[in-house]
Amino acid sequence: MTPLKERLVQLEVLRYNPDTDTEAHFQRYEVVCQEEWVVLDALNKVKADIDPTLNFRWSCHMAVCGSCGMMINGEPKLSCHAFLRSYEGVIRVEPLAHFPIERDLVTAPDDFMEKLKRVKPYIIPKEKKPISEGEYKQTPAQLMKFRQYSMCINCMLCYAACPEYGLTPDFIGPAALTLAHRYNLDSRDGGRLARQEVVATHEGVWDCTFVGACSEVCPAHVDPASALQQMKITSSIDWIVEHLIPGGKS
Amino acid sequence: MSRNPLVREVPPTTWFFRHPRYLRYMSREITCIFIAAYCVMLVVGLQRLAAGPAAWDGFLLALRSADSIVFHLLALAAALYHAATWFNATQKAMPIQIGEDFVPGSVISGAHYVAWAVLSIAVLYFAGAF
Ligand code: SF4
Ligand code: FES
């Protein structure tokens, strides 16, 4: 077996202590890592060997739980999926942009959680049927219609990438709106009109100017930008039916 | 433990320098200035046409000036770039599902390019270009 290659990694990490600091500042660490490690491994090594006060979130270490999102050299990334070999020189690690910093690399996701709730991200059955009538069936084609949009891991990288969310914090934002779309497209669901009250508003899809950054950074290939553009089309059709077609109602 | 989260403001006028993808976005948006300017020019042309032959000839002469040719080249480049970004976006906005599979995005965008070419040739034909 060939021995694992080691590398001295320099990290520049944004630190903020809510008990003592009024501003965040960068702190430099140098740590010996294995060449095939990810940035999260380097942070864990720093925490274990150099500075136990460093705070960051993670859980699965396999790009599934969505809790380790950070800005790495200015790009929103899952730190468990950001390989050290992709970076040269000093690696700059900051908390996710556009979210308040709770402590060091830990951000406050409260706003995102609140917005998720507002889009009613659950199936609102078209017609309720008693359990005795069995399950709601779905064909593979009906599943494929929304499957991609159900792959979101709530990592919030898309919010950190979206300049619109940074400038207009009221914007419901990519992942939450995409989840609304996921349920709207579900053959078992009848809740689209109820969701439109949030979706077809300024804070909803109309704050989106189609920068497309969300889709570029999404680690789960959800493509939120496509969901939002599709919802703009259905919302426009609703409007035309309601306002321009006599007797039409959406 | 009390919370004291640190909120970082996004600079409202310089944010797009933070990442190349934001600059790409701004370059797409800025193309609309040329397209709007071109529309204004067409409206002025109509107004000159309505004002009589002398006014119209003056307008045509102005179109042949060096400034006007530079503007046309810039507007053409902006329109081409704008159209390409738009056509590439269509595959996101208008997915087509057949059975379990989706038609590849390149086919949807490609169809728009084909329609564009056909319409452009038709316009050139009616304008007497060939
Ligand atoms: S849409 Fe993608 S980037 Fe956004 S929260 Fe979901 S998985 Fe993360
Ligand atoms: S630790 Fe779970 S996604 Fe990175």
Side-chain angles (χ1 to χ4, degrees):
Chain A
M1 212 176 86
T2 44
L4 297 174
K5 252 189 51 213
E6 291 192 331
R7 166 179 160 192
L8 182 70
V9 170
Q10 290 179 306
L11 296 173
E12 206 164 56
V13 181
L14 196 70
R15 311 263 346 238
Y16 168 69
N17 181 342
D19 300 323
T20 53
D21 297 346
T22 50
E23 266 177 61
H25 62 276
F26 280 102
Q27 185 165 349
R28 182 78 73 100
Y29 297 106
E30 288 191 359
V31 61
V32 177
C33 297
Q34 310 283 357
E35 181 65 27
E36 59 273 25
W37 280 6
V38 291
V39 171
L40 177 61
D41 297 324
L43 290 171
N44 270 322
K45 186 95 188 295
V46 169
K47 189 165 172 92
D49 294 354
I50 305 173
D51 185 352
T53 68
L54 182 63
N55 284 273
F56 47 95
R57 281 200 189 99
W58 68 285
S59 176
C60 70
H61 200 288
M62 51 194 281
V64 170
C65 74
S67 54
C68 69
M70 300 169 193
M71 307 300 285
I72 300 177
N73 285 354
E75 184 79 2
K77 286 269 182 199
L78 296 177
S79 55
C80 71
H81 212 233
F83 286 88
L84 292 174
R85 60 172 172 264
S86 322
Y87 300 95
E88 279 169 19
V90 182
I91 305 174
R92 184 172 264 232
V93 187
E94 297 164 80
L96 277 185
H98 306 155
F99 289 97
I101 307 176
E102 199 81 74
R103 183 184 287 264
D104 298 339
L105 299 171
V106 177
T107 52
D110 309 43
D111 183 55
F112 172 60
M113 295 302 167
E114 186 52 41
K115 284 168 173 164
L116 265 186
K117 268 193 268 172
R118 282 175 61 195
V119 301
K120 304 190 199 297
Y122 40 80
I123 287 185
I124 304 174
K126 275 198 198 97
E127 47 204 272
K128 286 229 162 69
K129 57 180 191 179
I131 291 178
S132 58
E133 276 182 39
E135 60 278 76
Y136 294 89
K137 293 213 170 115
Q138 195 158 55
T139 65
Q142 286 170 327
L143 168 68
M144 289 314 287
K145 198 166 178 204
F146 67 81
R147 187 173 175 278
Q148 172 193 0
Y149 301 128
S150 71
M151 305 307 268
C152 173
I153 58 172
N154 294 343
C155 65
M156 308 187 294
L157 298 195
C158 50
Y159 284 75
C162 175
E164 202 59 51
Y165 178 65
L167 293 164
T168 319
D170 283 344
F171 178 34
I172 303 282
L177 286 165
T178 300
L179 208 55
H181 194 51
R182 172 251 173 276
Y183 285 99
N184 288 346
L185 293 178
D186 193 312
S187 60
R188 300 161 295 182
D189 183 86
R192 192 178 76 84
L193 287 185
R195 289 185 201 103
Q196 282 299 85
E197 284 170 29
V198 177
V199 168
T201 61
H202 248 290
E203 294 163 29
V205 288
W206 298 116
D207 258 345
C208 167
T209 56
F210 201 179
V211 180
C214 50
S215 296
E216 287 178 32
V217 303
C218 175
H221 307 290
V222 171
D223 198 354
S226 70
L228 269 72
Q229 307 327 304
Q230 289 164 33
M231 282 194 287
K232 285 182 193 171
I233 294 179
T234 43
S235 301
S236 303
I237 293 173
D238 284 350
W239 189 90
I240 290 169
V241 169
E242 194 179 340
H243 292 90
L244 302 181
I245 297 182
K249 52 178 190 297
S250 64
Chain B
M1 198 183 73
S2 67
R3 291 175 70 178
N4 182 22
L6 179 72
V7 176
R8 297 160 291 170
E9 299 291 335
V10 173
T13 49
T14 54
W15 60 268
F16 46 87
F17 292 115
R18 283 192 309 170
H19 201 288
R21 71 163 66 90
Y22 300 157
L23 283 173
R24 278 202 300 280
Y25 160 75
M26 285 308 254
S27 67
R28 180 193 85 195
E29 297 295 288
I30 279 170
T31 56
C32 73
I33 294 175
F34 290 95
I35 292 172
Y38 201 86
C39 290
V40 169
M41 192 202 72
L42 289 180
V43 171
V44 170
L46 267 183
Q47 191 268 338
R48 298 281 80 195
L49 186 61
W56 175 243
D57 286 343
F59 179 69
L60 290 185
L61 200 64
L63 284 189
R64 284 191 207 105
S65 70
D67 286 354
S68 159
I69 288 168
V70 169
F71 168 70
H72 273 77
L73 288 176
L74 284 174
L76 177 66
L80 289 176
Y81 181 62
H82 190 94
T85 57
W86 181 257
F87 289 157
N88 294 342
T90 55
Q91 53 184 281
K92 293 198 182 254
M94 299 189 284
I96 300 173
Q97 190 184 6
I98 299 176
E100 288 175 39
D101 300 316
F102 283 88
V103 174
S106 53
V107 173
I108 296 174
S109 295
H112 282 82
Y113 281 101
V114 170
W116 182 27
V118 169
L119 285 173
S120 299
I121 290 170
V123 167
L124 288 174
Y125 174 77
F126 286 117
F130 38 77

